[in-house]
């Protein structure tokens, strides 16, 4: 049989033989050429075999190509082909028969395909009556799934994978998966992983924001989004009034609205949120003092003192969202509002997403002990615990100094990007108005004329320019129409794409204005 390749006849799915070197469509469909600069070649081939076996396309007893033929079919080395077969044999998907080759093993049966049932004509529930939580008309600012393939993605909330210290993170991940570390995170209900990360937050992260906390005052969450939901479920009673910055972050506003809170819009100026007379009647305030979402302004020291004094006077609670902590690259960052809270009236929340990765979903809440205890009980109704391996890896990443180094590099890169985008706007769109960012990764661009922002967004996307129109940030669409603005994120766009991207954006804005004026 030497020099022959084993193939599967597409009509009978039984093994047949053909001469080596002949291209066989069946095998090439099952085992496509391995791709370089992707997953390891061995992993790609193992996955292709396992998928075909579990799908039933390679039934029990099918004879596989020899190691030499597999290497020729897929474009890998013979050593890689041998390692693939060794791995599949060890995992029970194939078996080696002495002097006869490799065959699909029957120990792991194919996945059964579920049969869809024909729906009954009259026994289906009326879901419109049963579904209480409605999100109809709720504004979102979700970007297209293919935003990475856009030429000029001025989006926010993403990190730059090419700058991530992958080798250091892999090292911490390997340590988190060692036997002693696994013992700390794999058992359900154990909080050793949480305690390890909370300790690092208390020692290394929160102090830089001026916050002192103890273990029983910190709760880990699955990102800020879960923090919003937990706080809304815990604090809101029917009719509770909560002040929101306007324009402001739509996600917490949507969460509190869906929990039947009464939203009170509060204007934002160059000093941050304005405590109007309506604010005095609020029960809560949600705000982003560090870099206000979406305008990027920093809440002034005077305004901070006013908010804290009013909270004590009117028995209010402030929810401080520190979305982009520690990214000040121009001047000295103000400490968190929580750092000035002498009356335990500030609930602080943040995450590791902006510096590490949004996909890790590691957020945290700092609040008085009774609040954390109730939040933990409420979280227990949703999930038993958050992934312990991520917690331990993140704790090691902070403990070993990688987080601090990454943070410093992020400040430098963001400062360079901020300088590029502000100069490009001055050059190509001088009639627009904006505040030069001093921290964070966004710029709020106020347009000089009225615009159809929906049409502007579509025209920008057609030209390869992505941004966030102000539509979702204002509670009243009329306010957005009266103050046409765009949020430009510059944290994940390539440096050399910023200037040409702003040039393209300026052309789109001017063309849209001419069409709107006609």
């Amino acid at each position: 049989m030497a020099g022959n390749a084993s193939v599967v006849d597409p009509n009978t799915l039984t093994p047949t033989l053909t001469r080596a070197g002949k291209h066989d469509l069946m095998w090439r469909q099952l085992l496509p050429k391995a791709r370089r600069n992707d997953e390891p070649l061995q992993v790609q081939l193992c996955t292709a075999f396992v998928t075909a076996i579990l799908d039933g396309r390679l039934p029990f007893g099918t004879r596989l190509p020899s190691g030499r033929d597999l290497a020729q079919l897929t474009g890998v080395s013979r050593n890689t082909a041998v390692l693939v077969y060794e791995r599949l044999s060890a995992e029970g998907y194939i078996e080696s028969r002495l002097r006869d080759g490799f065959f699909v093993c029957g120990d792991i049966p194919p996945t059964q395909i579920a049969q869809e049932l024909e729906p009954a004509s009259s026994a289906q529930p009326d879901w419109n009556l049963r579904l209480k939580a409605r999100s109809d008309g709720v504004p979102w600012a979700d970007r297209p799934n293919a935003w990475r393939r856009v030429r000029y993605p001025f989006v926010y909330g993403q990190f730059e994978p090419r700058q991530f210290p992958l080798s250091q993170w892999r090292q911490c991940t390997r340590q988190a998966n060692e036997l002693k570390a696994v013992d700390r995170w794999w058992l359900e209900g154990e909080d050793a992983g949480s305690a390890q990360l909370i300790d690092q937050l208390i020692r290394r992260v929160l102090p830089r924001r001026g916050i002192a906390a103890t273990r029983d005052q910190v709760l880990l969450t699955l990102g800020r989004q879960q923090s919003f939901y937990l706080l809304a479920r815990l604090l809101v009673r029917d009719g509770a009034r909560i002040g929101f910055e306007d324009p402001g972050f739509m996600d917490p506003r949507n969460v509190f609205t869906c929990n039947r809170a009464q939203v009170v819009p509060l204007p934002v100026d160059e000093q941050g949120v304005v405590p109007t007379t309506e604010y005095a009647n609020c029960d809560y305030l949600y705000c982003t003092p560090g870099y206000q979402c979406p305008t990027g302004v920093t809440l002034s020291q005077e305004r901070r003192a006013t908010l804290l004094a009013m909270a004590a006077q009117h028995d209010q609670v402030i929810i401080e969202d520190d979305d982009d902590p520690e990214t000040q690259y121009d001047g000295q960052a103000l400490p968190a509002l929580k750092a000035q809270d002498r009356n335990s009236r500030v609930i602080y929340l943040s995450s590791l997403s902006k510096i590490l990765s949004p996909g890790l979903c590691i957020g945290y809440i700092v609040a008085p002990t009774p609040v954390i205890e109730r939040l933990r009980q409420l979280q227990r109704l949703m999930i038993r615990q958050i992934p312990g391996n991520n917690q331990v890896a993140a704790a090691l990443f902070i403990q070993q100094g990688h987080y601090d180094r990454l943070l410093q590099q992020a400040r430098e890169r963001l400062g360079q990007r901020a300088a590029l985008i502000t100069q490009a706007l001055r050059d190509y769109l001088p009639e627009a108005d904006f505040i030069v960012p001093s921290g964070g990764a966004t710029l709020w661009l106020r347009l000089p004329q009225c615009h159809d922002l929906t049409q502007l967004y579509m025209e920008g996307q057609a030209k390869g320019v992505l941004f966030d129109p102000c539509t979702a940030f204002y509670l009243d669409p009329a306010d957005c129409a009266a103050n046409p603005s765009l949020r430009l994120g510059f944290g994940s766009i390539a440096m050399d794409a910023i200037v040409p991207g702003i040039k393209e954006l300026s052309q789109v804005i001017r063309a849209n204005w001419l069409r709107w004026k006609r």
Side-chain angles (χ1 to χ4, degrees), residues 33-147:
K33 282 277 188 181
R35 300 182 302 275
R36 308 289 172 176
N37 301 321
D38 206 327
E39 292 179 319
L41 302 179
Q42 186 183 147
V43 173
Q44 293 181 47
L45 284 180
C46 285
T47 302
F49 271 115
V50 169
T51 300
I53 292 171
L54 294 181
D55 286 349
R57 289 177 290 143
L58 283 180
F60 167 61
T62 300
R63 186 181 181 187
L64 305 181
S66 67
R68 177 185 300 169
D69 292 336
L70 177 62
Q72 292 178 348
L73 281 166
T74 57
V76 302
S77 70
R78 191 171 179 184
N79 285 340
T80 298
V82 170
L83 290 173
V84 167
Y85 281 161
E86 288 179 353
R87 177 172 170 179
L88 292 172
S89 297
E91 295 180 356
Y93 286 99
I94 66 174
E95 60 181 350
S96 175
R97 299 178 187 174
L98 187 63
R99 298 190 184 89
D100 203 12
F102 291 95
F103 295 81
V104 175
C105 184
D107 293 345
I108 302 178
T111 304
Q112 298 296 319
I113 299 177
Q115 299 295 323
E116 292 189 9
L117 299 175
E118 289 292 331
S121 58
S122 60
Q124 298 184 42
D126 186 340
W127 290 111
N128 288 329
L129 294 177
R130 292 177 179 269
L131 299 178
K132 294 181 179 179
R134 298 179 62 86
S135 57
D136 305 26
V138 171
W140 305 101
D142 292 338
R143 60 187 61 92
N145 292 331
W147 70 267

Side-chain angles (χ1 to χ4, degrees), residues 467-489:
F467 54 83
D468 293 324
C470 68
T471 315
F473 297 105
Y474 280 100
L475 191 61
D476 186 347
D479 292 333
C480 179
N483 303 279
S485 307
L486 313 178
R487 183 176 71 171
L488 302 177

Side-chain angles (χ1 to χ4, degrees), residues 79 93 96 214 227 246 255 270 276 325 337 343 360 425 488 516:
N79 285 340
Y93 286 99
S96 175
T214 56
S227 299
D246 192 41
V255 170
E270 288 74 12
T276 61
L337 187 62
N343 299 310
L360 291 176
L425 286 169
L488 302 177
W516 187 89

Side-chain angles (χ1 to χ4, degrees), residues 192-221:
S194 298
Q196 189 173 353
L197 179 52
I198 287 174
D199 281 346
Q200 290 304 310
L201 293 175
I202 291 172
R203 294 177 183 177
R204 302 281 293 279
V205 177
L206 291 174
R208 286 197 294 258
R209 302 298 294 131
I211 299 173
T214 56
R215 275 193 187 183
D216 56 357
Q217 294 173 335
V218 181
L219 175 72
L220 296 181
T221 64

Side-chain angles (χ1 to χ4, degrees), residues 168-475:
Q168 291 89 339
W169 180 257
R170 281 175 175 165
Q171 174 187 338
C172 294
T173 301
R174 284 195 297 269
Q175 293 174 17
N177 288 320
E178 292 174 355
L179 184 59
K180 290 183 179 179
V182 170
D183 285 341
R184 294 198 296 269
W185 61 255
W186 77 278
L187 291 175
E188 184 178 57
E190 297 289 337
D191 64 350
S194 298
Q196 189 173 353
L197 179 52
I198 287 174
D199 281 346
Q200 290 304 310
L201 293 175
I202 291 172
R203 294 177 183 177
R204 302 281 293 279
V205 177
L206 291 174
R208 286 197 294 258
R209 302 298 294 131
I211 299 173
T214 56
R215 275 193 187 183
D216 56 357
Q217 294 173 335
V218 181
L219 175 72
L220 296 181
T221 64
L222 286 171
R224 288 164 53 243
Q225 199 73 20
Q226 191 189 44
S227 299
F228 302 149
Y229 197 84
L230 288 171
L231 290 170
R233 294 291 293 177
L234 179 66
L235 300 176
V236 172
R237 303 291 182 268
D238 285 354
R241 292 168 57 86
I242 177 167
F244 272 92
E245 300 158 327
D246 192 41
F249 189 18
M250 76 292 296
D251 282 359
R253 190 176 67 209
N254 293 340
V255 170
F256 276 85
T257 300
C258 288
N259 282 276
R260 300 182 179 179
Q262 182 180 348
V263 170
V264 178
L266 302 174
V268 175
D269 61 16
E270 288 74 12
Q271 296 187 62
V273 62
V274 180
T276 61
T277 53
E278 290 81 3
Y279 169 61
N281 297 319
C282 289
D283 303 295
Y284 302 97
L285 167 67
Y286 168 89
C287 62
T288 51
Y291 313 110
Q292 197 272 333
C293 176
T295 66
V297 301
T298 298
L299 189 66
S300 68
Q301 193 65 264
E302 180 183 357
R303 196 68 58 81
R304 291 169 187 243
T306 299
L307 291 177
L308 290 171
M310 292 183 68
Q313 179 183 354
H314 301 289
D315 191 22
Q316 298 167 321
V317 169
I318 299 173
I319 299 171
E320 177 185 12
D321 185 0
D322 204 7
D323 178 30
D324 241 336
E326 305 181 78
T327 56
Q328 185 88 7
Y329 39 79
D330 185 10
Q332 184 67 35
L334 290 175
L337 187 62
K338 177 68 176 174
Q340 302 172 251
D341 176 29
R342 299 178 179 273
N343 299 310
S344 298
R345 292 194 172 273
V346 177
I347 295 175
Y348 176 89
L349 60 94
S350 188
S351 78
L352 300 179
S353 296
K354 297 301 185 294
I355 300 299
L356 287 179
S357 168
L360 291 176
C361 291
I362 298 178
Y364 49 94
I365 300 175
V366 182
T369 301
V371 177
I372 294 298
E373 289 177 354
R374 292 293 301 276
L375 287 172
R376 185 173 286 112
Q377 294 169 7
L378 184 59
Q379 187 184 50
R380 176 66 174 76
L381 298 176
M382 303 171 65
I383 56 171
R384 296 184 71 92
Q385 65 188 58
I386 66 176
N389 55 334
N390 281 351
Q391 297 174 45
V392 175
L396 292 170
F397 193 82
I398 297 172
Q399 183 179 9
Q400 295 173 15
H402 306 311
Y403 182 83
D404 291 71
R405 178 59 180 156
L406 178 61
L407 188 59
Q408 180 59 33
Q409 293 171 342
R411 290 194 195 103
E412 294 172 359
R413 290 194 299 269
L414 288 174
Q416 294 168 358
R417 284 177 162 83
L420 278 175
I421 195 171
T422 53
Q423 187 58 51
L425 286 169
R426 289 174 180 141
D427 292 341
Y428 295 107
L429 205 62
E431 62 270 32
D433 185 28
F434 61 89
I435 296 176
V436 177
S438 60
T442 63
L443 183 145
W444 187 245
L445 184 68
R446 292 186 285 268
L447 302 180
Q449 304 98 357
C450 294
H451 285 270
D452 181 343
L453 289 175
T454 301
Q455 184 65 26
L456 180 64
Y457 177 79
M458 300 303 295
E459 291 170 359
Q461 189 173 347
K463 293 291 187 178
V465 183
L466 273 184
F467 54 83
D468 293 324
C470 68
T471 315
F473 297 105
Y474 280 100
L475 191 61

